[in-house]
Amino acid sequence: MKDIEGVVLRGQDEVVGRVLALYTVVGKAVAGPAIGDVLLERFGAEHFLTPVESSFMAVQEPAPESVPYFSWRYECLHVLLWALRIIDHVGQPSGICDVARIDRTMLELGAEGLRKQAVLRPPSEIVPVLNRVFRAHWAVRDAQIFRKPSPGGIDAEVVYEWHYALNWLVGEVDWDFVQTDT
């Protein structure tokens, strides 16, 4: 659990860059290599990609297991768009985010529109959500260990992605190395 005191968030420009990179890789994962290439160029996201994302984007036929891995990153996008005040309410990690809304928003805004509209929320808004997500993730893991149903309808994959994005936002570790310990 995090205390608001002393939390330093990533810079707004870094968060915007992360959103652009994520949108590019989820586009490829969901819609295929041709769309991924178009998005990479349209959003100018190449220099925001991590090494793992760059490797994924570089291959025409990605490994079958990498496609779901990157498609789940829509959930990270949802949280980061909320953190940038592009999405008003983060909601609960009980079902997948509104993918169509994220697509509409990203395509309407484009990279420059996103940069102009983004305003990073302060730690006083982000840390309570991180703590709530941490507790939800812990409850899901506990249920998995003891072979019980997921509490409160929490979706295990969704809460993991949210936790990942929030830990990156308040941490100092590169995206490819974020931990989601509970």
Side-chain angles (χ1 to χ4, degrees):
M1 300 271 281
K2 289 272 188 189
D3 185 9
I4 294 171
E5 192 73 28
V7 167
V8 178
L9 302 175
R10 304 262 176 180
Q12 181 171 301
D13 291 341
E14 186 177 5
V15 178
V16 168
R18 181 90 307 262
V19 166
L20 297 173
L22 286 171
Y23 191 65
T24 299
V25 296
V26 299
K28 178 175 181 170
V30 172
I35 297 299
D37 291 344
V38 168
L39 292 174
L40 188 63
E41 184 176 330
R42 179 174 180 183
F43 287 98
E46 189 167 337
H47 61 283
F48 298 118
L49 298 172
T50 69
V52 170
E53 293 165 342
S54 291
S55 294
F56 175 73
M57 293 302 291
V59 297
Q60 273 306 93
E61 292 299 322
E65 64 274 4
S66 66
V67 172
Y69 172 83
F70 285 107
S71 65
W72 274 109
R73 294 301 191 197
Y74 262 115
E75 296 300 332
C76 293
L77 269 170
H78 169 76
V79 169
L80 294 178
L81 287 170
W82 167 80
L84 291 170
R85 297 182 193 263
I86 303 298
I87 291 177
D88 293 330
H89 303 287
V90 73
Q92 298 294 326
S94 55
I96 62 169
C97 63
D98 188 343
V99 169
R101 179 178 178 203
I102 290 173
D103 286 340
R104 277 192 314 275
T105 299
M106 291 299 295
L107 294 173
E108 286 172 9
L109 287 176
E112 286 311 306
L114 178 64
R115 285 184 184 95
K116 287 178 184 172
Q117 190 172 330
V119 177
L120 189 61
R121 293 175 189 273
S124 61
E125 291 182 46
I126 291 171
V127 171
V129 172
L130 170 60
N131 289 336
R132 179 171 51 91
V133 167
F134 172 86
R135 287 189 303 274
H137 197 191
W138 180 87
V140 166
R141 285 197 175 155
D142 185 66
Q144 290 169 336
I145 290 168
F146 294 105
R147 297 189 173 133
K148 300 184 294 188
S150 185
I154 300 167
D155 184 296
E157 287 85 2
V158 171
V159 77
Y160 168 81
E161 297 294 338
W162 287 26
H163 194 185
Y164 196 101
L166 289 162
N167 275 356
W168 175 81
L169 190 59
V170 302
E172 297 175 7
V173 176
D174 290 339
W175 181 263
D176 289 339
F177 301 103
V178 171
Q179 299 292 310
T180 59
D181 300 333
T182 56

